């Protein structure tokens, strides 16, 4: 999975501009950064890669099933 960038400096500046004390803003920023780092998030690219993988696997399953069905029809005919 890809990392999601988080600008802690900009986040602290935003909180301070809203009237929050600097120490509190920095503590919240650190907590949010840690939460982002520990979260496993899927990006759009991750989802596209998964979709391709599942499409290939499903295609293989269909091919095997059709081959088995075809062989069964030949065997019973």
């Amino acid at each position: 999975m890809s990392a999601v960038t988080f600008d802690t400096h900009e986040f602290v500046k935003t909180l301070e501009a809203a009237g929050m004390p600097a120490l509190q803003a920095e503590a919240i920023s650190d907590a949010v950064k840690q939460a982002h780092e520990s979260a496993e998030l899927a990006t759009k690219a991750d989802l596209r890669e998964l979709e391709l993988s599942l499409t290939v696997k499903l295609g293989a399953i269909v091919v095997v099933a059709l081959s088995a069905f075809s062989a069964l029809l030949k065997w019973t005919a």
Side-chain angles (χ1 to χ4, degrees):
M1 305 266 171
S2 300
V4 177
T5 58
F6 178 67
D7 186 351
T8 56
H9 180 67
E10 187 64 33
F11 188 69
V12 169
K13 285 182 6 183
T14 301
L15 293 176
E16 288 177 340
M20 184 171 286
L23 286 175
Q24 188 175 0
E26 289 173 11
I28 291 173
S29 176
D30 287 341
V32 171
K33 180 181 177 189
Q34 288 174 7
H36 276 246
E37 289 172 351
S38 65
E40 291 189 30
L41 303 174
T43 64
K44 289 180 181 179
D46 293 329
L47 294 176
R48 280 191 294 271
E49 182 181 329
L50 177 62
E51 179 183 25
L52 176 62
S53 174
L54 291 175
T55 300
V56 168
K57 288 177 184 178
L58 182 58
I61 290 170
V62 169
V63 167
V64 169
L66 288 176
S67 297
F69 184 68
S70 177
L72 183 62
L73 284 178
K74 287 181 184 177
W75 185 67
T76 58

